[in-house]
Amino acid sequence: MQMLDERRSEIAAKIVPPSKLAHFVLRTSRFAEMVDWYKLVMHATAAYENPGLSFLSYDEEHHRIAIVAVPDLHDQDGSDVGLHHIAFTYDSLHDLLENYQRLKDLGIAPAWAINHGPTTSLYYRDPDGNHLEFQVENFETVEESTKFFFTEEFNVNPIGVEFDPDMLRQRMLAGEDETELKRRPASGSVGLDAVKI
């Protein structure tokens, strides 16, 4: 048995990780509604589209999101195993909060707003109930974010502290320092039961 474990470790050490996340694919029975929602929320355009398939992108990749029409799918009820959410990072708190305001003006509000510590995040639900996290990094480097995971503050509360995006945006527009705005407030003990999505 030890030989198998050693062989497995030897092979695992040679595995080459992917260079980037290319795309994700969603199947839906609300094809037109989902395509319209992703085009709007992600400011995406179609690289290819037909009545049952749409390849969407918001950057240099030929497609980041694919949506496939499948008739008669059941709605999600949250009781099945599967993907919990997909996260997208914005360059600044300003970009995140101005995008929040634009979406809010169009009637699209986040389901949850939380400062996790390493990120300040807004979670949205698409028309099928899939969750998207729009986030901004709270630290300058990956090393600083990773270091936060090993603090007592994170150990006591690995979920985060909820915030009001309108209030945070007002503070930002008033000229408050972005580093201070992204600093997670102190909290007591918080567990997984606090996750609202």
Side-chain angles (χ1 to χ4, degrees):
M1 187 61 150
Q2 184 179 355
M3 227 166 103
L4 285 175
D5 289 342
E6 287 173 9
R7 179 75 177 132
R8 181 183 170 98
S9 294
E10 182 182 312
I11 293 169
K14 294 177 183 176
I15 292 174
V16 177
S19 59
K20 64 181 178 179
L21 176 66
H23 64 267
F24 63 94
V25 180
L26 299 169
R27 54 180 192 259
T28 184
S29 295
R30 295 179 180 89
F31 181 74
E33 186 180 358
M34 287 282 282
V35 169
D36 289 346
W37 193 89
Y38 276 89
K39 284 180 176 177
L40 176 67
V41 170
M42 304 299 288
H43 195 68
T45 56
Y48 173 81
E49 206 163 55
N50 69 33
L53 178 64
S54 181
F55 288 166
L56 303 174
S57 186
Y58 53 81
D59 62 7
E60 74 286 345
E61 187 73 17
H62 47 77
H63 72 289
R64 291 288 183 190
I65 305 154
I67 301 175
V68 180
V70 178
D72 304 320
L73 293 174
H74 299 285
D75 286 340
Q76 296 183 49
D77 67 5
S79 65
D80 297 327
V81 297
L83 184 68
H84 186 267
H85 71 272
I86 301 163
F88 298 89
T89 301
Y90 285 78
D91 287 333
S92 68
L93 185 64
H94 180 270
D95 289 349
L96 179 73
L97 293 176
E98 288 305 293
N99 194 61
Y100 154 77
Q101 186 61 50
R102 287 184 203 93
L103 292 175
K104 181 181 171 189
D105 290 345
L106 294 169
I108 300 171
W112 195 31
I114 189 155
N115 184 323
H116 290 298
T119 65
T120 297
S121 302
L122 300 171
Y123 288 83
Y124 290 85
R125 283 190 181 97
D126 74 14
D128 274 347
N130 300 301
H131 297 108
L132 303 179
E133 177 183 6
F134 293 170
Q135 67 178 28
V136 63
E137 293 289 335
N138 288 345
F139 293 98
E140 292 296 317
T141 66
V142 172
E143 292 78 17
E144 288 176 275
S145 291
T146 303
K147 190 176 175 182
F148 185 79
F149 289 135
F150 296 95
T151 64
E152 184 58 25
E153 181 181 356
F154 190 77
N155 188 48
V156 168
N157 177 0
I159 305 305
V161 178
E162 291 185 51
F163 67 91
D164 179 335
D166 289 314
M167 295 289 291
L168 192 63
R169 183 172 177 270
Q170 286 174 6
R171 290 172 55 200
M172 178 192 71
L173 294 175
E176 210 170 313
D177 179 62
E178 184 168 316
T179 302
E180 288 304 313
L181 292 172
K182 293 190 297 186
R183 188 178 315 278
R184 187 174 95 169
S187 72
S189 180
V190 176
L192 286 175
D193 58 333
V195 175
K196 293 188 174 178
I197 60 164

